[in-house]
Amino acid sequence: MERALIRTLSDIEDGHLSLWVNGRFFDPHTGRPLDPPKIRVISDRQPYRGVPDPGGPWWDMLVQRDWLEMPRPRHDTHALSRQSGRPRRPCGGPPCWVAAPPVCGIAWGVCPADGATLAVSGDSTRCQECGRTWPGDRLNQPCPEPITRTEEERHLGRTGMCDGHALALTAVYGITTELLRPGQHAREAGTWDRGGEAARYVRHRYRLPAAKRNARVTVDGRPATILGFRGAYLVVRYEDQPAGRLLCHPTAHVTYATAGQPD
């Protein structure tokens, strides 16, 4: 267990696992300090395997060991104080909480540097371009990266996104983005599945004319069917899991029933 906790702490410090804290330190009606304060912690994924009760408040174990420090009220706070942030380790001290911008939250993952280039293999995710890896399935989880850009042309119903999703948006859909201005708020981004652009991008970018809806494929040796496209990824359904949906990279561990030249 101790080793799993240490690995989980390392994942937090490396940015592979993020925690957001919502802390209420004062009574919203009277303004009096709450003792104890009401702390709500949200993680973007499960901790490293071996941590007891991974679905519960496992971070309490890190706090009890003085490896994490929960946020404290600021002196200038109002009756209701909320703090959210990501942990880091100051010089020689335990991790603390620092302010962080809202996260992207789009339902599928990207590489922050290369965009829609992720492939899942076993219990890790790898960027097909730069080779960076993350533990777990980053592709099929909400994006934990901070919102840094907005959609300039307002084609989407919701417009905030991270750098990696901005790259994917431009490459796949030809929609430009702009940097988020200081103090500017952005709506969350949409699913980006308009008019078949994603399907055309996959076929021409990777020279895969067989990548079409309802096409039979094999993913990691398992028979599957292409149900659609999202960003630069395939949406597939395994034959032995008809109720499930999964994203996969078009060229990673995927075998198509037919082959040929780009249409």
Side-chain angles (χ1 to χ4, degrees):
M1 181 189 75
E2 200 75 9
R3 185 175 181 180
L5 291 173
I6 292 173
R7 178 61 184 271
T8 297
L9 179 65
S10 177
D11 285 347
I12 294 174
E13 293 184 299
D14 293 340
H16 300 323
L17 188 156
S18 299
L19 298 177
W20 289 270
V21 177
N22 187 304
R24 177 177 290 183
F25 302 95
F26 300 90
D27 188 290
H29 304 292
T30 66
R32 293 180 179 177
L34 295 176
D35 187 18
K38 295 182 179 179
I39 300 292
R40 179 170 176 255
V41 181
I42 303 172
S43 62
D44 64 340
R45 62 186 66 239
Q46 295 293 330
Y48 189 75
R49 294 188 305 274
V51 173
D53 192 18
W58 50 265
W59 47 85
D60 283 347
M61 301 178 187
L62 302 180
V63 175
Q64 292 168 6
R65 288 165 172 77
D66 292 326
W67 294 351
L68 281 182
E69 181 180 347
M70 284 299 168
R72 291 187 173 89
R74 298 172 298 183
H75 295 297
D76 61 346
T77 187
H78 298 290
L80 179 61
S81 173
R82 297 188 180 186
Q83 299 181 12
S84 61
R86 299 188 185 195
R88 65 178 176 85
R89 184 182 293 275
C91 297
C96 66
W97 295 92
V98 295
V103 295
C104 181
I106 296 173
W108 45 277
V110 291
C111 172
D114 297 296
T117 55
L118 300 184
V120 180
S121 179
D123 58 355
S124 66
T125 303
R126 181 178 184 273
C127 173
Q128 298 291 92
E129 298 291 334
C130 68
R132 180 179 175 184
T133 60
W134 294 265
D137 185 351
R138 180 181 173 93
L139 175 54
N140 289 278
Q141 299 293 331
C143 178
E145 298 297 320
I147 291 177
T148 57
R149 305 188 69 88
T150 60
E151 179 202 2
E152 191 174 63
E153 300 179 22
R154 307 298 185 227
H155 287 302
L156 301 178
R158 298 179 296 172
T159 60
M161 68 202 71
C162 65
D163 288 341
H165 276 98
L167 288 173
L169 177 66
T170 300
V172 179
Y173 300 97
I175 296 176
T176 57
T177 62
E178 61 183 3
L179 284 172
L180 197 67
R181 298 186 302 274
Q184 181 184 10
H185 299 285
R187 299 185 296 272
E188 295 176 354
T191 57
W192 307 353
D193 196 9
R194 306 179 303 110
E197 291 98 328
R200 287 191 289 270
Y201 176 86
V202 167
R203 285 195 287 268
H204 288 272
R205 169 68 175 82
Y206 298 108
R207 299 180 177 273
L208 294 171
K212 299 181 179 180
R213 293 179 188 272
N214 299 319
R216 302 290 294 278
V217 293
T218 302
V219 182
D220 278 329
R222 299 171 60 185
T225 301
I226 298 177
L227 300 182
F229 302 82
R230 182 154 301 167
Y233 302 116
L234 307 178
V235 182
V236 302
R237 177 184 63 206
Y238 289 118
E239 289 187 0
D240 57 354
Q241 291 181 327
R245 304 289 185 272
L246 195 71
L247 297 182
C248 65
H249 190 278
T251 65
H253 319 295
V254 179
T255 302
Y256 296 83
T258 60
Q261 298 300 317
D263 52 11

Coordinates of all heavy atoms in Angstrom, one line a residue, residues 85-147:
G85 N -7.2 24.0 -7.2 CA -5.8 24.1 -7.7 C -5.2 22.7 -7.9 O -5.9 21.7 -7.9
R86 N -3.9 22.7 -8.3 CA -3.2 21.5 -8.5 C -2.0 21.4 -7.5 O -1.5 22.5 -7.1 CB -2.6 21.4 -9.9 CG -3.8 21.4 -11.0 CD -3.2 21.2 -12.3 NE -4.2 21.3 -13.3 CZ -4.1 20.9 -14.6 NH1 -3.0 20.3 -14.9 NH2 -5.1 21.0 -15.4
P87 N -1.6 20.3 -7.1 CA -0.6 20.2 -6.1 C 0.8 20.3 -6.8 O 1.0 20.0 -7.9 CB -0.7 18.8 -5.5 CG -1.4 18.0 -6.6 CD -2.2 19.0 -7.4
R88 N 1.7 20.9 -6.0 CA 3.1 20.9 -6.4 C 4.0 20.8 -5.2 O 3.5 21.0 -4.0 CB 3.5 22.2 -7.2 CG 3.4 23.5 -6.3 CD 3.8 24.7 -7.2 NE 3.6 25.9 -6.4 CZ 4.4 26.4 -5.6 NH1 5.6 25.8 -5.3 NH2 4.2 27.5 -4.9
R89 N 5.2 20.5 -5.3 CA 6.1 20.4 -4.1 C 7.1 21.6 -4.1 O 8.0 21.7 -5.0 CB 6.9 19.1 -4.2 CG 7.8 18.8 -3.0 CD 8.5 17.6 -3.1 NE 7.7 16.4 -3.2 CZ 7.3 15.8 -2.1 NH1 7.6 16.2 -0.9 NH2 6.5 14.7 -2.2
P90 N 6.9 22.5 -3.1 CA 7.9 23.6 -3.0 C 9.3 23.0 -2.6 O 9.4 21.8 -2.2 CB 7.3 24.5 -1.9 CG 5.9 24.0 -1.7 CD 5.9 22.5 -2.1
C91 N 10.3 23.8 -2.6 CA 11.6 23.4 -2.3 C 11.7 22.8 -0.9 O 11.5 23.4 0.1 CB 12.6 24.6 -2.3 SG 12.7 25.3 -4.0
G92 N 11.9 21.5 -0.8 CA 12.1 20.8 0.4 C 10.9 20.6 1.3 O 11.0 20.0 2.3
G93 N 9.7 21.0 0.9 CA 8.6 20.9 1.7 C 7.5 20.0 1.1 O 7.7 19.5 0.0
P94 N 6.4 19.8 1.8 CA 5.4 18.9 1.3 C 4.6 19.6 0.2 O 4.7 20.9 0.0 CB 4.5 18.7 2.5 CG 4.7 20.0 3.3 CD 6.1 20.4 3.1
P95 N 3.9 18.9 -0.6 CA 3.1 19.5 -1.7 C 2.0 20.5 -1.1 O 1.5 20.3 0.0 CB 2.4 18.3 -2.4 CG 3.2 17.1 -2.0 CD 3.8 17.4 -0.6
C96 N 1.8 21.5 -1.8 CA 0.7 22.5 -1.4 C -0.2 22.7 -2.6 O 0.0 22.1 -3.7 CB 1.3 23.8 -0.9 SG 2.1 24.7 -2.2
W97 N -1.2 23.5 -2.4 CA -2.2 23.8 -3.5 C -2.0 25.2 -4.0 O -1.8 26.1 -3.3 CB -3.6 23.6 -2.9 CG -3.9 22.2 -2.5 CD1 -3.7 21.7 -1.2 CD2 -4.3 21.2 -3.3 NE1 -4.0 20.4 -1.2 CE2 -4.4 20.0 -2.5 CE3 -4.7 21.1 -4.6 CZ2 -4.8 18.8 -2.9 CZ3 -5.1 19.8 -5.1 CH2 -5.2 18.7 -4.2
V98 N -2.0 25.2 -5.4 CA -1.8 26.5 -6.1 C -3.0 26.7 -7.0 O -3.6 25.8 -7.4 CB -0.5 26.5 -6.9 CG1 0.7 26.5 -5.9 CG2 -0.4 25.4 -7.9
A99 N -3.3 27.9 -7.3 CA -4.4 28.2 -8.2 C -4.2 27.7 -9.6 O -3.1 27.7 -10.1 CB -4.6 29.8 -8.3
A100 N -5.3 27.2 -10.2 CA -5.2 26.6 -11.5 C -6.4 27.0 -12.3 O -7.5 27.2 -11.8 CB -5.2 25.1 -11.4
P101 N -6.3 27.2 -13.6 CA -7.4 27.7 -14.5 C -8.4 26.5 -14.7 O -8.0 25.4 -14.4 CB -6.7 28.0 -15.8 CG -5.4 27.2 -15.8 CD -5.0 27.1 -14.4
P102 N -9.6 26.8 -15.1 CA -10.5 25.7 -15.4 C -10.0 24.7 -16.4 O -9.2 25.1 -17.3 CB -11.7 26.5 -16.0 CG -11.6 27.9 -15.5 CD -10.1 28.1 -15.4
V103 N -10.3 23.5 -16.2 CA -9.8 22.4 -17.1 C -10.7 22.3 -18.3 O -11.8 22.7 -18.4 CB -9.7 21.1 -16.4 CG1 -8.7 21.1 -15.2 CG2 -11.1 20.7 -15.9
C104 N -10.0 21.8 -19.4 CA -10.7 21.7 -20.7 C -12.0 20.8 -20.6 O -13.0 21.2 -21.0 CB -9.7 21.1 -21.7 SG -10.3 20.9 -23.3
G105 N -11.8 19.6 -20.1 CA -13.0 18.8 -19.8 C -13.6 18.1 -21.0 O -14.7 17.4 -20.9
I106 N -13.1 18.3 -22.2 CA -13.6 17.6 -23.4 C -13.6 16.1 -23.2 O -12.6 15.6 -22.6 CB -12.9 18.0 -24.7 CG1 -13.1 19.5 -24.9 CG2 -13.3 17.2 -25.9 CD1 -12.3 20.1 -26.0
A107 N -14.6 15.4 -23.7 CA -14.7 14.0 -23.3 C -13.7 13.0 -23.9 O -13.8 11.8 -23.6 CB -16.1 13.5 -23.6
W108 N -12.8 13.5 -24.7 CA -11.8 12.6 -25.3 C -10.4 13.3 -25.2 O -10.4 14.5 -25.2 CB -12.1 12.2 -26.7 CG -12.5 13.3 -27.6 CD1 -13.8 13.8 -27.7 CD2 -11.7 14.1 -28.5 NE1 -13.9 14.8 -28.6 CE2 -12.6 15.1 -29.1 CE3 -10.4 14.1 -28.8 CZ2 -12.2 16.0 -30.0 CZ3 -9.9 15.1 -29.8 CH2 -10.8 16.0 -30.4
G109 N -9.4 12.5 -25.0 CA -8.1 13.1 -24.7 C -7.2 13.4 -25.9 O -7.4 12.9 -27.0
V110 N -6.2 14.3 -25.6 CA -5.2 14.7 -26.6 C -3.8 14.8 -26.0 O -3.7 14.8 -24.8 CB -5.5 16.0 -27.3 CG1 -6.8 16.0 -28.1 CG2 -5.7 17.1 -26.2
C111 N -2.8 14.8 -26.8 CA -1.5 15.1 -26.3 C -1.4 16.7 -26.3 O -1.8 17.3 -27.3 CB -0.4 14.6 -27.3 SG 1.3 15.2 -26.9
P112 N -1.0 17.3 -25.2 CA -0.9 18.7 -25.1 C 0.0 19.4 -26.2 O -0.3 20.5 -26.6 CB -0.3 19.0 -23.7 CG -0.6 17.7 -22.9 CD -0.6 16.6 -23.9
A113 N 0.9 18.6 -26.7 CA 1.9 19.2 -27.7 C 1.5 18.8 -29.1 O 1.8 19.6 -30.0 CB 3.3 18.7 -27.4
D114 N 0.8 17.7 -29.4 CA 0.6 17.2 -30.7 C -0.9 17.1 -31.1 O -1.2 16.8 -32.3 CB 1.3 15.9 -30.9 CG 2.8 16.0 -30.8 OD1 3.4 16.7 -31.6 OD2 3.4 15.4 -29.8
G115 N -1.8 17.2 -30.2 CA -3.2 17.1 -30.5 C -3.8 15.7 -30.5 O -3.4 14.9 -29.6
A116 N -4.6 15.3 -31.4 CA -5.3 14.0 -31.4 C -4.4 12.9 -31.9 O -4.6 12.4 -33.1 CB -6.6 14.1 -32.3
T117 N -3.4 12.6 -31.1 CA -2.4 11.6 -31.5 C -2.2 10.5 -30.5 O -1.2 9.8 -30.5 CB -1.1 12.3 -31.7 OG1 -0.7 13.0 -30.5 CG2 -1.1 13.3 -32.9
L118 N -3.2 10.3 -29.6 CA -3.1 9.3 -28.6 C -3.5 7.9 -29.0 O -4.4 7.7 -29.8 CB -3.9 9.7 -27.3 CG -3.5 11.1 -26.7 CD1 -4.4 11.3 -25.5 CD2 -2.0 11.2 -26.4
A119 N -2.8 6.9 -28.4 CA -3.1 5.5 -28.6 C -3.0 4.8 -27.3 O -2.0 5.0 -26.5 CB -2.2 4.8 -29.6
V120 N -4.0 4.0 -26.9 CA -4.0 3.2 -25.7 C -3.5 1.8 -25.9 O -3.9 1.2 -26.9 CB -5.5 3.2 -25.1 CG1 -5.5 2.4 -23.8 CG2 -6.0 4.6 -24.9
S121 N -2.6 1.4 -25.0 CA -2.1 0.1 -25.1 C -1.9 -0.5 -23.6 O -1.2 0.1 -22.8 CB -0.7 0.0 -25.8 OG -0.2 -1.3 -25.8
G122 N -2.7 -1.5 -23.3 CA -2.7 -2.0 -22.0 C -3.2 -1.0 -21.0 O -4.3 -0.5 -21.1
D123 N -2.4 -0.7 -20.0 CA -2.8 0.3 -18.9 C -2.1 1.6 -19.0 O -1.8 2.3 -18.1 CB -2.5 -0.3 -17.5 CG -1.1 -0.7 -17.3 OD1 -0.3 -0.6 -18.2 OD2 -0.8 -1.1 -16.2
S124 N -1.7 2.0 -20.3 CA -1.0 3.3 -20.5 C -1.5 3.9 -21.8 O -2.0 3.2 -22.7 CB 0.5 3.1 -20.4 OG 1.0 2.4 -21.5
T125 N -1.2 5.2 -22.0 CA -1.6 5.9 -23.2 C -0.3 6.5 -23.7 O 0.5 7.1 -23.0 CB -2.6 7.0 -22.9 OG1 -3.8 6.4 -22.4 CG2 -3.0 7.7 -24.2
R126 N -0.1 6.5 -25.0 CA 1.1 7.0 -25.7 C 0.8 7.9 -26.8 O -0.2 7.6 -27.6 CB 2.0 5.8 -26.2 CG 3.3 6.2 -26.8 CD 4.1 5.0 -27.2 NE 5.4 5.4 -27.8 CZ 5.6 5.7 -29.1 NH1 4.6 5.7 -29.9 NH2 6.8 6.0 -29.5
C127 N 1.5 9.0 -26.9 CA 1.4 9.9 -28.1 C 2.1 9.3 -29.3 O 3.3 8.9 -29.1 CB 2.0 11.3 -27.8 SG 2.0 12.4 -29.2
Q128 N 1.5 9.1 -30.4 CA 2.1 8.5 -31.6 C 3.1 9.4 -32.2 O 3.9 9.0 -33.1 CB 1.0 8.2 -32.6 CG 0.0 7.2 -32.1 CD 0.6 5.8 -32.0 OE1 1.0 5.5 -30.9 NE2 0.6 5.1 -33.1
E129 N 3.2 10.7 -31.8 CA 4.1 11.6 -32.4 C 5.4 11.8 -31.6 O 6.5 11.6 -32.0 CB 3.4 13.0 -32.7 CG 2.3 13.0 -33.6 CD 2.7 12.7 -35.1 OE1 3.9 13.0 -35.4 OE2 1.9 12.1 -35.9
C130 N 5.2 12.3 -30.3 CA 6.3 12.6 -29.5 C 6.8 11.5 -28.6 O 7.8 11.5 -28.0 CB 6.0 13.9 -28.7 SG 4.8 13.7 -27.4
G131 N 5.9 10.5 -28.4 CA 6.3 9.3 -27.6 C 6.0 9.5 -26.1 O 6.3 8.6 -25.3
R132 N 5.5 10.6 -25.7 CA 5.1 10.8 -24.3 C 4.1 9.8 -23.8 O 3.2 9.5 -24.6 CB 4.7 12.2 -24.0 CG 4.3 12.5 -22.6 CD 3.9 14.0 -22.4 NE 3.4 14.2 -21.0 CZ 2.9 15.4 -20.6 NH1 2.8 16.4 -21.5 NH2 2.5 15.5 -19.4
T133 N 4.2 9.3 -22.6 CA 3.2 8.4 -22.1 C 2.5 8.9 -20.8 O 3.1 9.7 -20.1 CB 3.9 7.0 -21.8 OG1 4.9 7.2 -20.8 CG2 4.5 6.4 -23.1
W134 N 1.3 8.3 -20.6 CA 0.5 8.6 -19.4 C 0.0 7.3 -18.8 O -0.3 6.4 -19.6 CB -0.6 9.5 -19.7 CG -0.3 10.9 -20.1 CD1 -0.2 12.0 -19.4 CD2 0.0 11.3 -21.5 NE1 0.2 13.1 -20.2 CE2 0.3 12.7 -21.5 CE3 0.1 10.6 -22.7 CZ2 0.6 13.4 -22.6 CZ3 0.4 11.4 -23.9 CH2 0.7 12.7 -23.8
P135 N -0.1 7.2 -17.5 CA -0.7 5.9 -17.0 C -2.2 5.9 -17.2 O -2.9 7.0 -17.2 CB -0.4 6.0 -15.5 CG -0.2 7.5 -15.2 CD 0.4 8.1 -16.5
G136 N -2.8 4.8 -17.5 CA -4.2 4.7 -17.7 C -4.7 5.0 -19.1 O -3.9 5.2 -20.0
D137 N -6.0 5.1 -19.2 CA -6.6 5.4 -20.5 C -6.9 6.9 -20.6 O -8.0 7.4 -20.2 CB -7.9 4.6 -20.7 CG -8.5 4.8 -22.1 OD1 -8.1 5.7 -22.8 OD2 -9.5 4.1 -22.4
R138 N -6.0 7.7 -21.1 CA -6.2 9.2 -21.2 C -7.1 9.5 -22.4 O -7.8 10.5 -22.3 CB -4.8 9.8 -21.4 CG -4.9 11.4 -21.5 CD -3.5 11.9 -21.8 NE -3.5 13.4 -22.1 CZ -3.3 14.3 -21.2 NH1 -3.2 14.0 -19.9 NH2 -3.4 15.6 -21.5
L139 N -7.1 8.6 -23.4 CA -7.9 8.9 -24.6 C -9.4 9.0 -24.3 O -10.1 9.8 -24.8 CB -7.6 7.9 -25.7 CG -8.4 7.9 -26.9 CD1 -8.4 9.3 -27.6 CD2 -7.9 6.9 -27.9
N140 N -9.9 8.1 -23.5 CA -11.3 7.9 -23.2 C -11.8 8.6 -21.9 O -12.8 8.2 -21.4 CB -11.7 6.5 -23.3 CG -11.7 5.9 -24.7 OD1 -12.6 6.1 -25.5 ND2 -10.6 5.2 -25.0
Q141 N -11.0 9.5 -21.4 CA -11.3 10.2 -20.2 C -11.4 11.7 -20.5 O -10.8 12.2 -21.4 CB -10.2 10.0 -19.1 CG -10.1 8.6 -18.7 CD -11.3 8.0 -18.0 OE1 -12.0 8.8 -17.3 NE2 -11.5 6.7 -18.1
P142 N -12.2 12.5 -19.7 CA -12.3 13.9 -19.9 C -10.9 14.6 -19.8 O -10.0 14.2 -19.0 CB -13.1 14.4 -18.8 CG -14.0 13.2 -18.4 CD -13.1 12.0 -18.6
C143 N -10.6 15.5 -20.7 CA -9.3 16.2 -20.8 C -9.0 17.0 -19.5 O -9.8 17.9 -19.1 CB -9.2 17.1 -22.0 SG -7.6 17.9 -22.2
P144 N -7.9 16.7 -18.8 CA -7.5 17.4 -17.6 C -6.7 18.7 -17.8 O -6.3 19.4 -16.8 CB -6.7 16.4 -16.8 CG -6.0 15.6 -17.9 CD -6.9 15.6 -19.0
E145 N -6.4 19.0 -19.1 CA -5.5 20.2 -19.3 C -6.3 21.5 -19.1 O -7.5 21.6 -19.3 CB -5.0 20.1 -20.8 CG -4.1 18.9 -21.1 CD -2.9 18.9 -20.2 OE1 -2.3 19.9 -20.0 OE2 -2.5 17.8 -19.8
P146 N -5.6 22.6 -18.8 CA -6.3 23.9 -18.5 C -6.8 24.5 -19.8 O -6.2 24.3 -20.9 CB -5.2 24.7 -17.9 CG -3.9 24.1 -18.4 CD -4.1 22.6 -18.5
I147 N -7.9 25.2 -19.7 CA -8.4 26.0 -20.9 C -7.4 27.1 -21.2 O -7.2 28.0 -20.3 CB -9.8 26.5 -20.6 CG1 -10.8 25.3 -20.6 CG2 -10.2 27.5 -21.7 CD1 -12.2 25.7 -20.2

